[in-house]
Amino acid sequence: MSTPRLYLIIAALTGATIACGGSGNAETATAEVPSVTLRPDNITVAEVREIASGPSISGTLTAKRQATLRAEVPGLVTQTFVEQGEPVKAGQVLLRLDDSAIRDAVLSARSTLRTATEAMVVAKRNADRSERLAGAGALAERDLEQARMSALNAEAGLADATARLASAEKQLDRTVIRAPFAGIVSERQVNAGDVLQVGNPAASVVDPASLRLEATVAVSALSLLTVGTPVDFQVSGYEDKSFAGHIERINPAVDPATRQVRIYVGIPNISGRLVAGLFAQGRAATERKTAMAVPMSALDFKSATPSVRRIRGGKVELVLVEVGLRDDVLQLVEIISGLAAGDTILVGPAAGVAAGTPVRIIKE
């Protein structure tokens, strides 16, 4: 073997050794990148969802049917039958007033009615007899007219007695205060022993199934709203749950102080979870579509093009995306391009993990 050829073989072997050594260093460098452990709440999956957008609204829940029951007759409260927060049926007795004086008036009116009825029968009989006698020529015309007048007076007396009895019975019925419809007692203003005057409040009843949202919306959004527009909102005390309704009415006048328009949203509250007086805020869903969406917390808007962190092959990679409709109620953003349905992406604080970082997901 010649010397030049030997040099070539040694050089080739040396180059192969260096190449192998370089590959080992690269693997060592990769292994040195620390992995990140993620919990299930740090990730989500891009999926097709129904999302919506529209002008923001805020307001208070009120009941369409609510009544403050007031005393129609003066009297002493003798009994109460319900407490605040208690459900009642339509016509159920809530409280009673002392009816002794009115009951005496009813008895007197009934006695007067009986007397008037008997007087009417007698007067009618006399009038009929006088008609027959006058027809036979045995009774003067003056006596016939007097018999007829007595019958008319007796008839008027009977009508008056009947009206007096009806009035007295109505007053007696007013000593019992009943629920005008099925609902819940929101307030009871009196106790047994209290004295009520005409017009004093006694109890309040609310129908929770008839709740509506009285909200305001900016004038600039008025052109987007129509009767029937869906409304999505959240209520204080139920922040983890969304509710829905539809616009029933739009006030034709603008509030001069706030320059906002009041809208009235019908709410189905069959379960009775919502109560009047709660504050609500949300949006009128003037635009709605079905599209692939991800949580807002997954997006990074720091650069000109929004991006997300996707897990691919056990590592984090940076993906530029094109976004569309924003759903502020569900906190979702439409992804027009850049992701595919089923992609696993990082959300919340985990969305800041650097690209290229190995990840490991633990099950809780």
Side-chain angles (χ1 to χ4, degrees), residues 223-262:
S223 61
L224 303 174
L225 304 181
T226 60
V227 173
T229 299
V231 173
D232 304 314
F233 61 95
Q234 292 180 311
V235 179
S236 56
Y238 296 95
E239 286 78 5
D240 59 337
K241 183 175 177 56
S242 294
F243 298 90
H246 291 81
I247 294 179
E248 293 183 337
R249 289 181 289 126
I250 301 175
N251 198 314
V254 177
D255 188 329
T258 62
R259 304 303 301 169
Q260 296 211 332
V261 179
R262 184 167 294 276

Side-chain angles (χ1 to χ4, degrees), residues 256-278:
T258 62
R259 304 303 301 169
Q260 296 211 332
V261 179
R262 184 167 294 276
I263 61 175
Y264 303 89
V265 181
I267 306 168
N269 188 32
I270 300 175
S271 63
R273 296 182 62 187
L274 298 176
V275 296
L278 293 178

Side-chain angles (χ1 to χ4, degrees), residues 156-239:
L158 177 61
D160 181 68
T162 302
R164 288 177 182 275
L165 176 60
S167 177
E169 288 178 337
K170 186 178 294 185
Q171 291 292 91
L172 181 63
D173 185 64
R174 288 171 176 170
T175 62
V176 180
I177 297 180
R178 304 174 185 272
F181 48 78
I184 295 177
V185 178
S186 61
E187 190 172 2
R188 196 194 71 197
Q189 291 90 341
V190 296
N191 297 306
D194 291 344
V195 177
L196 288 177
Q197 300 299 327
V198 176
N200 289 159
S204 300
V205 178
V206 174
D207 179 7
S210 69
L211 286 187
R212 68 182 173 198
L213 170 60
E214 293 188 7
T216 56
V217 64
V219 175
S220 58
L222 190 58
S223 61
L224 303 174
L225 304 181
T226 60
V227 173
T229 299
V231 173
D232 304 314
F233 61 95
Q234 292 180 311
V235 179
S236 56
Y238 296 95
E239 286 78 5

